[in-house]
Amino acid sequence: MKTEDDIFISLVIPTRGLFRLELLKKCVHSFFSKAKWGNFLEAIIVTDLDDVDYRREIEAYFLENQYNVKLITRRRDLRYFNRDYMNYATQCSQGSMIWALNDDTEMETSGYDEIIHNTVSQFMRVNEYRNIYILTDDSTHTTEDRNIIYDKGCCFPLISRLAAEKINGLFPQEINIWGADIALFKIFQGVPNSIIDLSKEIKLAHHSHHNGSREKDETSESGYKHTNRSSLTDQENMKYIRPLWSK
């Protein structure tokens, strides 16, 4: 059930660590300031219950501006990160499109929301299915020496609400942290006419050790440390593909 019908894009952003506050500010500001229709955008920020000082700073920052945000606090348990953070936040979202982001991402394309809106509108005029996955340039899977976006997908997938409802979230919950973005792309590769390529039109800056633009920090390290598995079995993959074949 949705309480707001006019939200076009929901940004799902988990964050942890006071040292990432400036990254989060830059992330949220870039998406709202570069949107043509910022009033049709929402950001869902997910924090940890034990990250008290950081949460206080986040609240203070959002009191200073008019961004449409929801703050969700979860008891930290990285064994189920994608289920309890990304998928839970998705279930609390209102947007027609849902974007999985990190706090270290920054939007570089002005009017990106209009590009997405026009592309999705055109797509729906000629396709009977509404299960959509959008590729954008994430600056990590799209580097000159490591262009793997068409093999691994986007680090920050953008999918339609209908698709999210059919898979009950953003990511397959069997993968607790790293690897879920790649697994999601492989799921949509099994669904005809579901992937829209906007990697030439929309660019994100990913401030991360993955592309050498920033040093690895404690939050980044915890992802590697606590990842239990990073891929799905064929049977699990089909469990997600089958619902996406329906209209």
Side-chain angles (χ1 to χ4, degrees):
M1 180 173 64
K2 294 172 62 177
T3 58
E4 296 179 73
D5 292 326
D6 58 351
I7 299 298
F8 178 46
I9 299 176
S10 296
L11 312 172
V12 175
I13 311 171
T15 187
R16 178 178 175 85
L18 192 57
F19 50 86
R20 294 178 79 102
L21 177 61
E22 293 307 314
L23 287 171
L24 177 66
K25 289 180 179 179
K26 185 180 292 187
C27 172
V28 174
H29 175 72
S30 70
F31 276 87
F32 277 93
S33 65
K34 292 186 181 298
K36 181 174 182 179
W37 307 300
N39 54 321
F40 297 117
L41 190 68
E42 70 172 0
I44 302 176
I45 315 296
V46 192
T47 62
D48 293 316
L49 184 62
D50 65 341
D51 207 1
V52 178
D53 292 339
Y54 185 32
R55 196 167 65 251
R56 186 180 299 117
E57 292 294 326
I58 291 173
E59 291 170 353
Y61 171 64
F62 286 122
L63 280 172
E64 297 174 354
N65 55 63
Q66 299 299 313
Y67 300 139
N68 181 17
V69 298
K70 297 175 184 175
L71 302 181
I72 296 176
T73 302
R74 304 288 287 171
R75 189 175 298 278
R76 195 179 196 218
D77 187 349
L78 296 183
R79 294 174 301 171
Y80 306 106
F81 176 82
N82 282 320
R83 185 193 72 182
D84 293 348
Y85 289 71
M86 305 304 289
N87 291 351
Y88 181 81
T90 297
Q91 291 158 4
C92 295
S93 71
Q94 305 295 317
S96 301
M97 303 295 297
I98 306 166
W99 208 332
L101 298 173
N102 287 356
D103 56 9
D104 56 9
T105 54
E106 183 179 359
M107 175 53 66
E108 294 193 336
T109 304
S110 295
Y112 68 90
D113 54 332
E114 182 179 26
I115 296 171
I116 294 167
H117 179 272
N118 292 344
T119 302
V120 169
S121 296
Q122 175 62 29
F123 176 90
M124 291 195 299
R125 280 196 288 269
V126 298
N127 288 278
E128 58 183 339
Y129 293 97
R130 301 293 185 262
N131 305 311
I132 299 170
Y133 175 111
I134 295 180
L135 286 167
T136 58
D137 184 342
D138 58 24
S139 76
T140 293
H141 284 179
T142 53
T143 57
E144 289 185 6
D145 61 341
R146 190 172 174 266
N147 194 344
I148 57 174
I149 189 171
Y150 299 116
D151 181 43
K152 304 292 186 181
C154 184
C155 293
F156 311 109
L158 173 62
I159 69 174
S160 61
R161 167 164 296 280
L162 183 59
E165 288 174 347
K166 289 182 178 178
I167 63 177
N168 199 33
L170 264 173
F171 293 121
Q173 64 178 1
E174 291 85 353
I175 301 174
N176 67 319
I177 305 181
W178 296 120
D181 55 335
I182 297 173
L184 183 69
F185 183 63
K186 292 187 179 300
I187 288 168
F188 276 89
Q189 284 182 310
V191 183
N193 301 320
S194 63
I195 299 174
I196 297 174
D197 184 7
L198 289 179
S199 61
K200 299 296 189 296
E201 290 82 6
I202 299 175
K203 181 174 178 57
L204 283 68
H206 186 199
H207 305 295
S208 168
H209 66 281
H210 290 292
N211 56 23
S213 59
R214 194 170 65 87
E215 294 296 321
K216 185 187 298 185
D217 60 30
E218 178 185 336
T219 298
S220 303
E221 185 62 42
S222 68
Y224 290 106
K225 182 179 179 181
H226 294 280
T227 295
N228 296 326
R229 54 182 296 200
S230 57
S231 62
L232 299 176
T233 65
D234 290 342
Q235 184 176 8
E236 290 168 338
N237 199 50
M238 287 304 302
K239 180 184 74 172
Y240 289 101
I241 290 175
R242 287 191 189 97
L244 292 172
W245 273 73
S246 62
K247 296 180 183 178

